[in-house]
Amino acid sequence: MINIDINCDIGEGIGNEAQLLPLITSCNIACGGHAGDTATMMKVAFLAKEHKVLIGAHPSYPDRENFGRTSIKMAKEELKKSILAQIDDLNTVLKSLGLALNHIKPHGALYNDVARDRELALVFLDSVEKYKNEVFLYVPYDSKIAEEALRLGFQIKYEAFADRNYNEDLSLVSRKEPMALIQDPKAVKDHLLYMVTKGAVLTLSGKAVKIKADTYCIHGDSPSTFQILMYLSKHLPKNQILIKK
């Protein structure tokens, strides 16, 4: 059997956490940038504790209007201050519940930007420096942030997306494109299975490209997230794969 970690973005106002958390092994909690506040962080962290799910911070550009999915030009110090404040806010909540922060994963446009922009990756890493020895960073394989994080001695886990299509350069297909999301449960399972067993991702063009992943994301705000997770829980064991820490 192969054990894999499945993570979901939660606390984003969808309200489906009670359904999702029993089916996953780690989660990324919105901490005020694109969604979330102290009350939602407390609520979903408590549920994560109940289901023994590892907890990560999910900071983004401070842009609730666009749900953190639009790149924003910000002064470096202003961006660093925002990212750190978001993580600190969640960490304060976690400490009040006797929980530890396991990882940090940027959200949306910030995630994509630090993957391809070395300078911005360094700004992000500088902003989370105080957590360097305590937590993992969830980062995409063969990205600028992965490269710089390893160079600077951060602990990383490579992440891949089970419910998103990829381009040949390992960037995610833009959400503006019709094939960006994979929402059919069987299609998600096949996509994930290929990555786990082949060490490669089948891109939208049909080309297989090498990829490494320690954790796989299913977006918490997709209409079919619960159905996808239920399907994976049932069918992955038939392929000798378990969703298990």
Side-chain angles (χ1 to χ4, degrees):
M1 282 283 186
I2 300 171
N3 293 341
I4 64 168
D5 180 74
I6 296 279
N7 76 77
C8 271
D9 307 332
I10 62 172
E12 296 180 323
I14 310 301
N16 57 356
E17 290 83 10
Q19 283 185 312
L20 306 186
L21 283 163
L23 302 171
I24 62 176
T25 39
S26 65
C27 67
N28 323 299
I29 299 179
C31 37
H34 65 292
D37 55 27
T38 301
T40 60
M41 287 188 270
M42 184 72 74
K43 180 181 178 182
V44 296
F46 186 82
L47 282 170
K49 179 181 182 179
E50 187 180 328
H51 293 289
K52 297 180 171 59
V53 172
L54 297 172
I55 297 172
H58 201 36
S60 78
Y61 287 117
D63 181 22
R64 287 174 174 263
E65 185 181 347
N66 297 299
F67 201 65
R69 288 189 172 143
T70 301
S71 297
I72 295 177
K73 293 289 184 184
M74 295 177 66
K76 290 180 185 178
E77 290 305 315
E78 185 185 354
L79 180 57
K80 281 161 55 176
K81 186 177 177 181
S82 174
I83 291 167
L84 183 57
Q86 291 175 56
I87 299 166
D88 283 348
D89 284 351
L90 176 63
N91 201 34
T92 298
V93 168
L94 296 184
K95 284 181 177 178
S96 75
L97 294 172
L99 296 169
L101 184 67
N102 178 71
H103 62 275
I104 297 168
K105 171 188 165 179
H107 165 80
L110 183 61
Y111 185 97
N112 294 329
D113 289 349
V114 298
R116 58 178 174 251
D117 184 324
R118 190 179 304 278
E119 185 178 352
L120 200 60
L122 288 169
V123 169
F124 184 86
L125 292 171
D126 194 28
S127 71
V128 301
E129 171 74 24
K130 71 181 268 190
Y131 291 100
K132 181 177 180 179
N133 299 317
E134 300 173 31
V135 307
F136 292 98
L137 299 180
Y138 281 13
V139 294
Y141 175 68
D142 197 27
S143 62
K144 296 295 189 290
I145 190 167
E147 185 181 320
E148 291 299 329
L150 288 172
R151 182 179 69 82
L152 293 169
F154 283 84
Q155 305 173 86
I156 70 167
K157 285 189 181 289
Y158 290 119
E159 179 184 45
F161 291 85
D163 62 351
R164 291 290 302 272
N165 273 311
Y166 280 82
N167 297 308
E168 289 184 16
D169 64 356
L170 290 184
S171 63
L172 297 173
V173 173
S174 170
R175 283 179 176 268
K176 295 174 183 175
E177 302 297 325
M179 297 294 287
L181 293 172
I182 307 171
Q183 298 203 52
D184 175 69
K186 184 182 182 301
V188 172
K189 190 254 315 181
D190 292 344
H191 191 56
L192 174 60
L193 205 56
Y194 196 94
M195 289 190 280
V196 174
T197 60
K198 307 281 189 184
V201 61
L202 207 54
T203 63
L204 198 56
S205 68
K207 181 180 179 181
V209 177
K210 179 184 175 182
I211 198 169
K212 288 183 182 179
D214 305 298
T215 182
Y216 299 87
C217 179
I218 307 287
H219 284 87
D221 65 333
S222 297
S224 54
T225 303
F226 178 63
Q227 288 76 18
I228 288 169
L229 289 171
M230 287 291 287
Y231 189 90
L232 294 179
S233 297
K234 181 179 179 181
H235 291 279
L236 285 179
K238 297 174 185 176
N239 295 275
Q240 306 302 304
I241 296 170
L242 295 176
I243 301 171
K244 187 178 180 182
K245 289 193 287 287

